[in-house]
Amino acid sequence: QQQVKQSPQSLIVQKGGISIINCAYENTAFDYFPWYQQFPGKGPALLIAIRPDVSEKKEGRFTISFNKSAKQFSLHIMDSQPGDSATYFCAASIGTNAGKSTFGDGTTLTVKP
Amino acid sequence: NAGVTQTPKFRVLKTGQSMTLLCAQDMNHEYMYWYRQDPGMGLRLIHYSVGEGTTAKGEVPDGYNVSRLKKQNFLLGLESAAPSQTSVYFCASGRPSSGNTIYFGEGSWLTVV
């Protein structure tokens, strides 16, 4: 049973456009929701994260929107750039053990110049 | 300023052979993790450790063993490699404190033939 479902599997966006990636979770005990960015041949790196007590968090061009009642959260990348082309993973965890996370299957984003 | 270092980066094994992947972190983190990443899938937790001398099973522990004899090192062992263990392995480390950021190594590509 997959606890975190991510969509779409791949996404192509024009430079300057908005990229939107969605995740849905099932376990209401999850209390930490990070997004990771992974470039080919590299390990994932934390991009931005949110806790369920807020509905939105913004860091530069990256925004997480969180809907607790729907058990969904999404990543928005504004003014998408070719350098944003990477694989993005959502995740969810409980408590302070953030590495003990359930990950989504990933979204491969391609930003065309 | 190495962060999380994994060795080796690439390895080809024959079925039935054994090997050990080494993860070293220089950030004095309490928590360490081993994941595997397969095509089209997110990361799946194999084993983790919350401190020196402790280990715990993750989501997919079968066929793997781990040891954490020193705080800075976390070893992942394959006693009898199988083709199903062909994957990219990532190590990560973090603290059980505010921010919950975990830091990943660059990965170890393992092929079992």
Side-chain angles (χ1 to χ4, degrees), chain A residues 32 38 42 44 89 97-99 104, chain B residues 33 35 37 42 99-100 104-106:
Chain A
Y32 179 67
Q38 184 179 27
K42 300 294 185 182
F89 293 95
N97 197 345
Chain B
Y33 310 88
Y35 304 87
Q37 185 177 39
N100 287 11
F104 286 85
E106 295 206 331

Side-chain angles (χ1 to χ4, degrees), chain B residues 4 20 54 62 64 80 84 105:
Chain B
V4 179
T20 300
T54 72
D62 294 342
Y64 305 95
S80 180
S84 61

Side-chain angles (χ1 to χ4, degrees), chain A residues 22-26 28 33 35 50-57 64-76:
Chain A
N22 302 298
C23 280
Y25 63 96
E26 298 169 7
T28 56
F33 302 90
W35 284 91
I50 197 168
R51 295 193 181 277
D53 52 344
V54 297
S55 60
E56 186 175 281
K57 182 175 182 180
I64 299 180
S65 297
F66 186 82
N67 186 328
K68 189 173 182 178
S69 61
K71 293 187 288 184
Q72 295 176 347
F73 59 109
S74 60
L75 176 69
H76 292 65

